[in-house]
Amino acid sequence: MESLIFEPLVRLGDQARPVPGLATSWQYDGARRRWEFTLRPGVQFGDSSELTPGAVAEVLAGFGAVANGRSVSLKAEPDLMAHLAEVPVMRRNPEGPLLGTGPFRLEQFLPNQRIVLAASDTHWAGRPYLDRVEIALRRSYRDQATDFELGRADVIEMAPEETRRASQRNLRMLSSGPAELIAMTIPDSVDARWREALALTVDRAAIQNVLLQRQGEVTGALLPGWLSGYAFLFPSQPDAARARLLASTAPRLNQPLTLAYDRNDPLTRMIADRISLNARDLGVTVRTTPEGTPGALRVLRWTAPSLDASFSLRDLAIALGQRPPEASDTVEGAWRAETALMGGSRVVPLVHVPRVWALDKRVEGCEVSRLGMLRIADAWLREAVRP
Amino acid sequence: MSFRLRLLLVFSLSIALTVLAVALGLSQFTLRAFEDRDAQRVKTLLNQFRRDFNQRSAEVTRRLTRLAEGDAVQRIALDLARPDADPALHYSDAEALANSQGLDLLTIAQSDGRIVSSAQWPARFGYKEDWLTEAVDWNRQAAFLRRETLPEESMLAVVAVRAVVAGDRTTYLAGGQKLDREFLEGLVLPEGMRALLAQSQPGGYSIITAGSSAVEHPEKLNALLDEVRQKKREVSAVIDWTGRPADSEAFTAIPLTGRDGSLMAVLLAGSSRREAVSLGRWVRGMGFGAAAFGVLLGLALAWWAAMRVTRPVNELAEAAQRVAAGDWTSRVPVRTQDELGLLAGAFNQMTTQLSEQRERLVQAERVAAWRELARRLAHELKNPLFPLQITIENLQRARTLAADQFNEVFEESTSTLLAELANLKGIIGRFSDFSKMPKPELQTADINAVVEDAAKLYRGQLAQASVSMQLELGSALPPVRVDAEQFRRVLQNLFLNAIDAMPQGGALIVKTSATGGRVRIAVADTGQGLTPEECARLFTPYYTTKHHGTGLGLAIVQSVVSDHQGTIMVASEPGRGATFSIELPAA
């Protein structure tokens, strides 16, 4: 949704390389200490004010931005491009919401309920086909499906486990590759042997095969293989014998473990129940609960924010409350960082699932990124009769 | 214990025991009646439970059969029978199917028992339920009781199984309904009864109750439940919840078994004993109250009876005692015409006759005494009178003699006359003494002192007669009221008699002792003794065994003792001495 209102200086392409956004080109300075970004001309904010280097520099002040003519120079830092791709350029509006340069402007915002976007007539890439986009917030998968069935929504996000049934009903869907990670986190308060035993007892295949209806892929890695290139190096098969051995040597658990899931997410609940059942085979009682307490295990869903592996891992570390690894632009560096994050079975990757969007028959022109983000800036509607 | 008190006790105890016996009997009868009633109610409850259980079983079977024969399950069975079957497609089917038939449990399993979908435990897909693949014709089996394991607990359920055959594959449908609080609440329970369902679980039992009333101390049921588990049959016991009998509850525990006969749960039918205990208490209370009333009534009756019966009896007893004490003029009032009246009349008649007889006896004794006195007097007087007569006749004859012979005879005769006249005067003097015995002047004295004074005077005389005197005087004797002078004369008389009885010497023992509010003085000798006839007449005036003496000594002794309100007795056998025992009342 942000991408419809705000735009960054650069975006990351499918190869995780920067592609032009509000900046048309960039180059190092002579000392290779700063990047100089040339701004795209004719870009306006939603109130028709012009995008200026000063405005950009103000937003990117944290990167040492300095306006310079029609360009903005920034300090050369590792992961700069990945960062820039995540930082939208916006301007404060004393009379209303923040102003962006995207193809749509914010027309109405009801917190936790609805956002209404109106097409920007002055967008540098041309006015979008759609006049207006209404986005309903905080709708569960089931509610979205109901809205879709009743014709109250043109585009919904589908639960990956519903994809199979949906395709049997010939629904139009857009699906990313396995982009979203579903994992189990185990706090340090649990003995390392128990952490490893639990990790080895989880039957990922059953989860992917049945609970996810064969969507996504079993994984032992935090980043999907297509993103990191080394996911296959992390084992994902259960090892019941080793798990039992570890359990037999681990100190006795004085009370049952608690595994928390998102009460609004049926999938995480089903996964939590299955993990609890696997743990029961090990002789460990794991109680599932929608409420988490400090020290509880959790079923986590996380999508990499960027095609940059190092950047994404740093984001995950922050999300897990761990110290972010050092930025690295090498595969080996990313692997080390990922290994460190998972060290001691604190994070147990289970599956990578795609993000799936169902589209009404009249919607055309939508795309989904590799990371599962829906792009509707270029969408348009057929003149079809609504049911 | 007086007659009146005995009568009182008899009346009171009779009434109290009768009432108590009735109360206890009634209490037992009441309890028995309650127990019978409880047994009947438990039986009714059990019948109701069995009926409801059978109904539910039939319902579960019917619904599961309908499900198994429905299109949805047939499609699932077909899908699963395909070579390329993907059970995952039906992972979430069980919940919807269960809801459609109102089942709490539904498991869909493949031919090998592997779970395809589970409504009650969705995560259990892929796990095997081996019991489903037992060689059983499930479609002919009725529903049965089963303990279903869930993530957090286990649930008791009525379960049926149906097998759906498609091709060469079988799909199993195991579905059922919970046997829980709602089921118990469907039972119609009589007042004061409740139904519990106990499921055996690791670490104890989990108990379900109908309604909102929880079991506060469920551990108190453990012993009963264990017994049912061991014996596998109905067991009854009374559970004491708080230590107060009114809070106890009589339970009948019935084992509920599964298909294989293993114990699944225990149905407990509890009946509060509050009513029975309260009633029992009330009955006992009333009984004790009635008993207490009976005691009071008994007291009143006894008092009335005492007034009616014992008073005349007491009057009779008192009169009899007076008669025994010598008052032969005692009479008792005759108040009624019944037996007591007759008895009183007879007593009065008896005492009247006794008085008359005593009068006559006294008269006779007086006559006898006068005769004896006259005889004695005649005898005593005759002796000196005969010489007097002879002497006077001699004098008359001597008138014819010469003067000098007449003077000699005259002197001799006058001497004889004077001597016999003196003798006569002595005899008359003693009679006079006996006739005018003075009334005793009683004063409180120590009898030992009196005895010692008397003994002191006669020590010499006794020593001369070779009679040894032994004084065995008791200590701490109560004082007596005596005329010391007269009593000394009594003792002296006895001492003299003893000396006369031991002409060859012997021993004289004087003992004093206290006995029953009286003081006894015993004077014993080792003389020749007395015969029984002599003992009987010893105290009669003028009776004597001696050749000398007037025979008044012991009569005087008896008279003095009698004037002191005392008694005197003699005990003797010939050759074995005699013992005179005087008893005087203590002051």
Side-chain angles (χ1 to χ4, degrees):
Chain A
M1 181 197 66
E2 256 185 16
S3 63
L4 297 175
I5 306 172
F6 308 107
E7 294 172 304
L9 274 189
V10 298
R11 291 193 176 87
L12 292 184
D14 288 346
Q15 303 300 321
R17 292 181 188 286
V19 298
L22 291 177
T24 54
S25 63
W26 45 88
Q27 58 193 20
Y28 267 124
D29 66 358
R32 295 184 76 81
R33 285 186 187 167
R34 297 185 72 82
W35 284 94
E36 188 140 340
F37 291 83
T38 306
L39 293 184
R40 187 184 297 279
V43 176
Q44 292 179 350
F45 284 101
D47 63 351
S48 302
S49 60
E50 195 174 335
L51 176 73
T52 62
V56 174
E58 189 180 337
V59 173
L60 301 179
F63 295 93
V66 175
N68 187 9
R70 284 296 307 166
S71 61
V72 175
S73 71
L74 302 167
K75 273 195 289 188
E77 292 178 353
D79 290 342
L80 176 64
M81 296 302 175
H83 279 293
L84 290 177
E86 297 300 316
V87 179
V89 174
M90 60 184 71
R91 210 191 76 194
R92 291 185 193 283
N93 177 14
E95 297 170 8
L98 293 168
L99 296 170
T101 61
F104 290 88
R105 58 183 167 75
L106 186 65
E107 185 175 90
Q108 184 187 41
F109 175 52
L110 296 174
N112 297 327
Q113 289 184 45
R114 195 161 85 129
I115 292 177
V116 179
L117 305 176
S120 174
D121 295 326
T122 58
H123 189 249
W124 56 268
R127 186 186 187 284
Y129 295 111
L130 297 173
D131 298 326
R132 188 172 278 104
V133 178
E134 288 184 20
I135 303 169
L137 303 174
R138 295 197 175 272
R139 300 287 288 171
S140 65
Y141 286 127
R142 175 176 289 191
D143 290 340
Q144 289 185 57
T146 304
D147 290 343
F148 190 81
E149 291 293 326
L150 295 177
R152 290 205 285 244
D154 295 310
V155 178
I156 60 168
E157 187 173 6
M158 289 198 70
E161 63 272 21
E162 294 299 324
T163 308
R164 200 171 174 188
R165 281 186 219 277
S167 66
Q168 287 174 348
R169 293 183 357 239
N170 296 320
L171 282 184
R172 285 181 66 208
M173 290 180 289
L174 284 177
S175 175
S176 69
E180 185 179 19
L181 170 70
I182 299 178
M184 175 175 65
T185 62
I186 309 177
D188 287 338
S189 57
V190 177
D191 182 83
R193 280 165 287 185
W194 280 118
R195 292 203 299 267
E196 191 180 346
L198 286 169
L200 290 172
T201 205
V202 176
D203 185 359
R204 293 173 176 80
I207 293 172
Q208 186 266 339
N209 195 32
V210 178
L211 298 182
L212 288 166
Q213 294 289 295
R214 299 192 178 179
Q215 298 301 303
E217 57 189 23
V218 164
T219 185
L222 296 175
L223 297 177
W226 58 265
L227 181 65
S228 67
Y230 54 70
F232 66 93
L233 293 175
F234 295 99
S236 61
Q237 294 297 318
D239 188 345
R242 177 154 171 77
R244 279 194 292 275
L245 179 65
L246 286 165
S248 66
T249 61
R252 192 164 165 268
L253 289 168
N254 292 328
Q255 53 191 15
L257 298 173
T258 304
L259 178 56
Y261 58 86
D262 183 353
R263 68 167 64 240
N264 295 317
D265 186 351
L267 178 61
T268 58
R269 179 181 179 170
M270 287 192 292
I271 291 174
D273 286 344
R274 185 66 183 191
I275 294 173
S276 170
L277 191 56
N278 293 154
R280 196 181 179 116
D281 295 338
L282 195 60
V284 176
T285 302
V286 175
R287 294 212 171 105
T288 60
T289 172
E291 303 295 336
T293 57
L297 288 64
R298 282 184 191 281
V299 177
L300 169 78
R301 291 181 83 153
W302 172 81
T303 303
S306 169
L307 294 174
D308 185 300
S310 175
F311 182 84
S312 294
L313 288 171
R314 288 166 65 82
D315 178 79
L316 178 59
I318 293 169
L320 293 173
Q322 293 188 34
R323 190 161 157 262
E326 291 293 326
S328 168
D329 53 5
T330 65
V331 172
E332 189 181 349
W335 177 81
R336 284 212 177 89
E338 187 161 338
T339 304
L341 272 179
M342 287 197 294
S345 301
R346 290 180 180 81
V347 185
V348 182
L350 301 175
V351 286
H352 282 120
V353 295
R355 292 190 72 178
V356 184
W357 304 87
L359 307 173
D360 187 77
K361 288 185 176 62
R362 66 182 188 140
V363 177
E364 297 288 350
C366 288
E367 290 177 348
V368 64
S369 70
R370 295 191 76 181
L371 291 176
M373 302 302 295
L374 184 68
R375 294 189 185 131
I376 61 170
D378 297 323
W380 52 280
L381 297 174
R382 285 180 189 280
E383 289 299 327
V385 176
R386 286 178 179 259
Chain B
M1 190 187 289
S2 69
F3 176 63
R4 180 175 295 179
L5 189 58
R6 278 203 299 271
L7 203 60
L8 174 71
L9 281 174
V10 167
F11 267 117
S12 303
L13 279 174
S14 299
I15 295 174
L17 287 174
T18 304
V19 172
L20 274 173
V22 169
L24 286 171
L26 196 59
S27 173
Q28 287 298 315
F29 174 77
T30 309
L31 276 172
R32 196 61 43 78
F34 267 96
E35 283 169 9
D36 290 343
R37 185 197 71 165
D38 281 350
Q40 189 59 39
R41 295 200 310 180
V42 166
K43 191 177 167 188
T44 304
L45 178 64
L46 290 178
N47 288 342
Q48 191 191 157
F49 175 84
R50 289 195 183 100
R51 196 174 50 245
D52 286 357
F53 180 84
N54 291 339
Q55 278 177 355
R56 179 157 292 200
S57 300
E59 184 63 23
V60 164
T61 306
R62 190 176 60 80
R63 292 185 186 189
L64 197 70
T65 304
R66 189 193 304 161
L67 204 60
E69 292 170 354
D71 287 343
V73 171
Q74 293 292 325
R75 270 203 298 276
I76 292 171
L78 270 173
D79 279 348
L80 293 175
R82 293 184 211 285
D84 56 348
D86 183 6
L89 276 172
H90 302 287
Y91 153 75
S92 57
D93 288 353
E95 187 176 352
L97 289 171
N99 289 340
S100 72
Q101 292 296 324
L103 297 172
D104 300 313
L105 320 164
L106 184 64
T107 301
I108 304 172
Q110 293 176 284
S111 297
D112 59 356
R114 210 171 287 277
I115 296 174
V116 173
S117 179
S118 171
Q120 67 274 15
W121 198 347
R124 220 156 167 263
F125 61 86
Y127 280 74
K128 278 184 110 176
E129 295 277 27
D130 289 326
W131 64 277
L132 285 172
T133 57
E134 290 170 6
V136 174
D137 186 357
W138 286 115
N139 292 341
R140 288 183 189 277
Q141 289 279 320
F144 51 91
L145 207 58
R146 181 175 159 77
R147 189 180 302 124
E148 189 70 27
T149 306
L150 298 177
E152 300 286 338
E153 57 180 354
S154 65
M155 177 205 312
L156 197 63
V158 178
V159 171
V161 179
R162 286 294 175 265
V164 181
V165 177
D168 58 351
R169 301 284 175 90
T170 303
T171 298
Y172 296 100
L173 224 60
Q177 289 181 332
K178 291 182 291 189
L179 214 60
D180 57 0
R181 176 172 293 158
E182 197 184 325
F183 179 81
L184 289 181
E185 286 175 354
L187 298 172
V188 176
L189 297 171
E191 183 75 27
M193 283 200 79
R194 60 173 172 168
L196 313 178
L197 201 59
Q199 288 186 63
S200 172
Q201 286 185 344
Y205 295 91
S206 123
I207 297 183
I208 303 170
T209 62
S212 60
S213 61
V215 178
E216 286 191 0
H217 298 282
E219 68 280 0
K220 294 200 177 200
L221 292 169
N222 286 352
L224 174 61
L225 293 170
D226 288 342
E227 192 178 345
V228 172
R229 186 209 289 270
Q230 281 173 9
K231 294 182 180 173
K232 290 204 170 60
R233 60 172 172 79
E234 187 175 313
V235 174
S236 296
V238 174
I239 303 296
D240 186 1
W241 294 113
T242 62
R244 291 195 297 267
D247 293 336
S248 64
E249 207 168 348
F251 276 99
T252 301
I254 298 100
L256 303 176
T257 55
R259 191 172 59 89
D260 56 356
S262 60
L263 185 71
M264 290 287 121
V266 178
L267 176 70
L268 297 153
S271 181
S272 173
R273 287 167 57 86
R274 183 176 295 275
E275 202 180 336
V277 168
S278 297
L279 186 61
R281 273 200 195 135
W282 183 85
V283 168
R284 280 194 297 277
M286 290 300 290
F288 284 124
F293 176 73
V295 168
L296 290 173
L297 184 63
L299 277 169
L301 282 175
W303 189 255
W304 177 80
M307 297 302 292
R308 180 87 171 77
V309 173
T310 64
R311 185 172 145 198
V313 171
N314 281 344
E315 287 174 348
L316 268 172
E318 286 166 5
Q321 280 178 344
R322 287 196 297 275
V323 167
D327 180 11
W328 289 21
T329 61
S330 290
R331 295 289 181 274
V332 291
V334 177
R335 295 193 178 87
T336 59
Q337 299 302 314
D338 57 11
E339 292 86 342
L340 290 172
L342 286 176
L343 183 63
F347 180 84
N348 291 340
Q349 192 179 357
M350 179 192 74
T351 53
T352 303
Q353 286 176 359
L354 278 174
S355 294
E356 288 170 1
Q357 281 180 4
R358 185 172 71 167
E359 274 301 315
R360 284 198 291 275
L361 188 64
V362 166
Q363 287 292 331
E365 283 187 351
R366 278 201 190 125
V367 168
W370 276 114
R371 281 191 183 143
E372 183 65 22
L373 178 65
R375 189 189 67 78
R376 196 73 188 176
L377 198 60
H379 175 72
E380 291 289 330
L381 289 175
K382 191 169 65 175
N383 286 340
L385 284 176
F386 185 70
L388 280 174
Q389 184 181 352
I390 299 295
T391 302
I392 292 174
E393 286 176 355
N394 282 344
L395 273 176
Q396 283 178 339
R397 280 195 297 275
R399 280 180 62 208
T400 61
L401 295 176
D404 55 348
Q405 287 177 331
F406 177 78
N407 288 340
E408 189 182 339
V409 168
F410 183 79
E411 288 294 328
E412 192 180 324
S413 296
T414 52
S415 295
T416 301
L417 283 171
L418 286 171
E420 292 301 328
L421 283 170
N423 193 15
L424 273 172
K425 275 179 74 175
I427 291 170
I428 290 167
R430 282 196 294 276
F431 282 133
S432 176
D433 283 343
F434 178 69
S435 72
K436 52 178 183 180
M437 284 291 296
K439 283 180 76 67
E441 290 177 8
L442 301 177
Q443 287 182 348
T444 302
D446 177 12
I447 198 63
N448 287 345
V450 175
V451 168
E452 281 172 343
D453 283 346
K456 207 182 303 183
L457 288 174
Y458 277 80
R459 278 198 196 279
Q461 196 163 342
L462 287 165
Q464 275 186 358
S466 302
V467 173
S468 66
M469 173 176 266
Q470 246 174 280
L471 292 183
E472 295 176 9
L473 304 181
S475 59
L477 297 180
V480 295
R481 286 183 64 76
V482 294
D483 183 328
E485 178 57 35
Q486 286 190 16
F487 207 81
R488 269 196 290 275
R489 288 177 61 187
V490 163
L491 291 173
Q492 287 163 8
N493 203 298
L494 293 177
F495 294 160
L496 288 172
N497 282 345
I499 292 172
D500 289 340
M502 294 180 286
Q504 307 301 323
L508 175 67
I509 305 139
V510 183
K511 287 186 191 174
T512 62
S513 60
T515 170
R518 298 172 76 79
V519 174
R520 177 182 287 181
I521 307 100
V523 178
D525 63 64
T526 58
Q528 60 207 16
L530 298 164
T531 66
E533 294 76 19
E534 288 168 344
C535 289
R537 297 186 66 189
L538 208 58
F539 296 101
T540 305
Y542 305 111
Y543 175 81
T544 179
T545 59
K546 295 185 275 198
H547 296 296
H548 61 279
T550 61
L552 292 175
L554 286 177
I556 293 173
V557 164
Q558 188 184 51
S559 176
V560 171
V561 169
S562 179
D563 287 343
H564 283 72
Q565 309 303 315
T567 59
I568 181 168
M569 288 178 298
V570 61
S572 179
E573 288 177 17
R576 297 174 76 110
T579 302
F580 288 85
S581 301
I582 299 172
E583 285 191 5
L584 297 175

